[in-house]
Amino acid sequence: MKRYLAKRIAHSFVVIYVVATTVFFAVRAIPGDPARMMLGGDASAEAISALRQEMGLNQPIYVQYFRWMAQIATGDLGQSIFTDQTVIARLVGVAEPTLSIAALGMTIALLIALPAGIISAVHQNQIEDYLATIISFLGISMPGFWIGIVLLITFADLFPLLPAFGYVSIGEGVVPWFQHVILPALAVGLPYGGILMRMTRSSMLEVLNEDYMRTARAKGLNSRLVLFKHGLQNALIPVVTIAGILLGVLVAGVVAVEIVFGIQGLGRLLIRSIERRDFPVIQGAVIVISFVFVFMNLFVDMLYTAINPKIAYGGRE
């Protein structure tokens, strides 16, 4: 187990290194000069050249690359070109809203998907199955930003029960935090709930038809025990895997919902930084997103043994 974990962590850092290298060269391939954007279109060539030299952008690309790699090896992601804040400070300031929406949205998705998927599988080709299937396809077909607009109109305009815009930190109180984050979380959680519901149904149907399930039922074991102890325990493995991947995707893709609800999150910061060619912030944001994605999948692998203790990692090493 320890050897497997060490190997996975090493692989994770290799992936993050590749992502960091790719984004470093990719952002510099984007047309536009940060120095010109800072000084404006009327700036002289001398002023632009002086600013580029001050920011180190006039150095050869490989020099910039190795200098940046040396920085991040010490945990320093650099400074924003436009605000002079450290990249870490910029990211910390916007990470909480995005992570809150993503975590609560995935929780909502699982709370919907697991019971609906189980009921749909147990009652295959019955009215419960058809209803669950219709609802799941509706969720999958509706983009998060559209659901957000509908929720905004419904709960903030027609029935003003919840705040329409902005975000309140959880440090200012759980209740106001929840009131501000529940609608965005629903907007991102419902489509993913539809995906996970279909996955749960498919996985449960496969497990229910296994020989050991028929044997357990033939022995006269309690039907609920057979369903949840033997069936769900094995069916959850692929569902948890997909949920982990979707959570990483959700963190990166929540920007549209943030815009709808006027929330300054990680996605909006990334887009704004791309518009301004703020290279250090772009690079730092992508590294953080890749870190969440990679280590979320590692965490999911660790959950396997909690879900089913029979799973051993020794055979994978």
Side-chain angles (χ1 to χ4, degrees), residues 65-138:
Y65 171 73
F66 286 115
R67 186 183 63 186
W68 181 62
M69 280 294 168
Q71 281 184 330
I72 63 174
T74 63
D76 180 9
L77 296 179
Q79 285 186 305
S80 169
I81 292 175
F82 284 83
T83 66
D84 284 333
Q85 283 182 295
T86 65
V87 173
I88 292 176
R90 294 279 288 160
L91 296 177
V92 168
V94 299
E96 184 188 332
T98 298
L99 294 178
S100 295
I101 294 171
L104 187 57
M106 184 54 63
T107 301
I108 291 171
L110 289 171
L111 289 175
I112 294 172
L114 292 180
I118 293 170
I119 292 172
S120 181
V122 172
H123 299 279
Q124 184 183 15
N125 297 327
Q126 298 180 29
I127 185 64
E128 295 92 339
D129 185 21
Y130 297 140
L131 286 174
T133 299
I134 291 172
I135 293 172
S136 69
F137 280 132
L138 284 175

Side-chain angles (χ1 to χ4, degrees), residues 5 21 24 43 49 67 71 93 108 130 144 164 167 206 226 230 236 247 261 264 312:
L5 183 59
T21 299
F24 177 88
S49 178
R67 186 183 63 186
Q71 281 184 330
I108 291 171
Y130 297 140
Y167 176 81
E206 184 177 346
V226 173
H230 301 286
L236 274 181
L247 181 57
F261 290 94
Q264 300 294 330

